[in-house]
Amino acid sequence: MKSFCFKARIKAYQYFLFILLFLLNCGKEEETSYYFLEDNVIETVSASEAKSHFLKSQDMFKSINSLKSSKKEFKIKPDWKSFRQKKIYHTDAKLSIVDVNINRKGNFKAYLFFVKVNGKMKNVVFSLWNNSINVENELDYIDALAFFNKTNGNFLDAYRIEDGLYTKRM
């Protein structure tokens, strides 16, 4: 399913970084876009670190919720062979990305994002619900919904993508 817009993915990576760093800096009043880069050390996560962190977080989540299993439980199955990294602008670090399958009905494409901030590993599930794509020029136009969830399924944030641009926070 390579029908998703490259520009939208890059913007999604940037939004993930902004959300991640927003969560770290909720108490600050500054409105400049890159102030967090001065205060935080952003580092790249290796494939082995990402896999280890993910498996440990899933084991912890399973032990906490072992008594209440549900069919609606958020399940992710990473494809570790798809591991890749994309440059994070204004840093020397790279965002680590893994394709995942999620147990949701519909036209979803999902990814795990990993990055280290001040030595602490951070990760999130990013998923796109595809509404429509301009097949003739798929690099420019996409209409979709972008969702950010914790690996246990807890909702973090969502955005509407119109014509390849993040237009509305949901």
Side-chain angles (χ1 to χ4, degrees):
M1 290 185 30
K2 295 187 179 193
S3 59
F4 289 96
C5 174
F6 179 72
K7 286 182 182 178
R9 285 185 187 173
I10 295 297
K11 289 178 185 175
Y13 302 147
Q14 291 171 337
Y15 277 108
F16 164 71
L17 183 61
F18 287 122
I19 289 169
L20 180 75
L21 294 168
F22 170 76
L23 293 173
L24 294 172
N25 295 299
C26 287
K28 296 192 176 185
E29 303 268 336
E30 295 179 61
E31 291 196 8
T32 56
S33 298
Y34 301 107
Y35 72 89
F36 55 80
L37 295 175
E38 297 172 7
D39 297 338
N40 295 299
V41 177
I42 311 297
E43 299 174 81
T44 304
V45 176
S46 71
S48 60
E49 289 175 309
K51 188 173 184 177
S52 173
H53 178 76
F54 175 77
L55 294 174
K56 187 169 35 169
S57 69
Q58 291 301 295
D59 287 342
M60 186 171 53
F61 178 67
K62 284 178 186 175
S63 66
I64 291 171
N65 293 314
S66 61
L67 298 176
K68 54 177 186 177
S69 181
S70 165
K71 290 182 182 179
K72 294 182 180 181
E73 184 179 320
F74 189 76
K75 295 180 184 173
I76 4 178
K77 183 179 178 189
D79 175 11
W80 295 107
K81 293 177 185 174
S82 71
F83 180 87
R84 62 200 174 278
Q85 296 175 322
K86 300 278 184 183
K87 175 143 179 53
I88 299 173
Y89 296 111
H90 306 287
T91 71
D92 294 330
K94 293 182 179 179
L95 180 66
S96 299
I97 305 161
V98 177
D99 295 343
V100 295
N101 289 320
I102 56 175
N103 64 329
R104 297 292 182 252
K105 291 182 182 178
N107 194 10
F108 278 101
K109 182 68 178 164
Y111 309 91
L112 271 172
F113 293 157
F114 295 90
V115 70
K116 277 187 191 172
V117 180
N118 296 329
K120 285 185 160 184
M121 179 92 66
K122 303 289 180 183
N123 66 328
V124 69
V125 177
F126 169 74
S127 52
L128 281 171
W129 169 274
N130 177 28
N131 292 333
S132 67
I133 293 176
N134 180 347
V135 177
E136 295 171 8
N137 194 356
E138 66 183 9
L139 294 178
D140 290 331
Y141 302 100
I142 183 173
D143 292 321
L145 299 175
F147 299 94
F148 293 91
N149 295 80
K150 292 183 179 181
T151 57
N152 65 4
N154 289 347
F155 175 80
L156 293 173
D157 215 343
Y159 295 88
R160 177 173 302 282
I161 303 170
E162 296 172 340
D163 294 329
L165 300 172
Y166 282 74
T167 58
K168 298 176 188 133
R169 189 172 189 189
M170 307 290 284

